[in-house]
Amino acid sequence: MRSALITGGSSGIGLAIAAMLRDEGFELTLASRTSERVEAAAAELGATAIAADVSKAEDCERVVREHVERAGGLDVLVNSAGVGIAGRVEDAQLKHIDRQLAINLRGLVLVSQAAIPHVRETKGWIVNLASIAGTQPVPILPIYAATKAAVISLTHSLNADLDEDGVRAIAICPGFVDTPMAEYSGLSTEEMIRPEDCAEVVRMCLRLSPRARVPQVVIE
């Protein structure tokens, strides 16, 4: 059975992608920082839960190791853990800068680093949740936007580096998605992208022929 590991899998886009992968027959591991939330989400989907904080290097390695030990391999890695803290650059507190860099970029790099040997074996996918904020100026979320721009760049580099191994990576760059993270926007639910829209992009990737890759998708 194919298997997938989803960080940030207890809610929002990560949970929507996990639900889609469950429907596609994948064995799932959901990882998230709060044990109660990830255990509840995993129970709903028949998945395995791992409480982990991707800002900690040891947790990044651990989630991949525990998934592979249980599932016997890894076909799809979904890096969905993320955090955004609003504020101008000149006002940003060091702890808020470090937290966004640690979760959105450093943690994503470390989880991917641990996963690459396994997705190489399965010629699998690395799905990185970036943001439309990484493609344009964003005065209110400058550090978040910078981390997402870095994720987009990293995704393109992963494609170039792992092309001969048959591993493909995609950076999904949605605008405002109907999740708690977007509540500050003031937009109504009807005006926002659904988490399931991002999941459908991943479903499309799973149906591509082996040589087809989609390095980046912007959803507006």
Side-chain angles (χ1 to χ4, degrees):
M1 178 183 289
R2 295 179 298 173
S3 71
L5 166 63
I6 302 96
T7 69
S10 65
S11 64
I13 297 172
L15 182 59
I17 294 175
M20 180 278 297
L21 290 170
R22 186 271 314 272
D23 293 344
E24 291 290 326
F26 281 77
E27 183 176 356
L28 301 178
T29 298
L30 308 185
S32 190
R33 190 165 57 91
T34 306
S35 59
E36 293 82 3
R37 291 182 66 186
V38 72
E39 287 168 6
E44 178 183 335
L45 296 180
T48 296
I50 299 178
D53 182 350
V54 297
S55 70
K56 299 177 180 178
E58 60 272 21
D59 279 10
C60 295
E61 183 276 332
R62 178 172 62 85
V63 294
V64 175
R65 173 171 43 81
E66 290 186 4
H67 171 85
V68 172
E69 287 176 353
R70 180 183 58 81
L74 178 60
D75 297 271
V76 177
L77 168 66
V78 180
N79 286 306
S80 186
V83 60
I85 302 171
R88 302 174 70 189
V89 170
E90 64 191 277
D91 300 322
Q93 298 180 44
L94 179 58
K95 64 180 181 180
H96 292 161
I97 295 171
D98 286 347
R99 182 153 184 77
Q100 291 173 94
L101 290 170
I103 294 175
N104 298 355
L105 181 58
R106 180 174 176 267
L108 182 147
V109 170
L110 292 179
V111 173
S112 298
Q113 184 181 58
I116 284 171
H118 305 289
V119 292
R120 181 182 284 122
E121 289 184 10
T122 59
K123 299 187 185 304
W125 277 90
I126 298 173
V127 178
N128 293 327
L129 266 297
S131 169
I132 200 170
T135 70
Q136 60 191 28
V138 184
I140 194 63
L141 286 166
I143 309 304
Y144 173 83
T147 64
K148 295 304 184 177
V151 168
I152 294 167
S153 175
L154 176 70
T155 304
H156 284 283
S157 295
L158 285 172
N159 275 305
D161 183 39
L162 300 173
D163 179 54
E164 292 185 2
D165 297 321
V167 176
R168 292 171 285 179
I170 180 172
I172 300 178
C173 308
F176 288 113
V177 181
D178 186 16
T179 66
M181 194 179 207
E183 287 178 354
Y184 80 94
S185 69
L187 296 173
S188 67
T189 295
E190 291 73 21
E191 294 176 279
M192 290 192 278
I193 298 161
R194 295 182 303 130
E196 291 78 12
D197 294 327
C198 298
E200 288 303 317
V201 171
V202 180
R203 195 196 304 268
M204 175 269 294
C205 289
L206 299 176
R207 283 157 165 65
L208 294 175
S209 63
R211 290 305 306 169
R213 63 178 66 241
V214 183
Q216 182 178 347
V217 169
V218 174
I219 308 175
E220 296 183 343

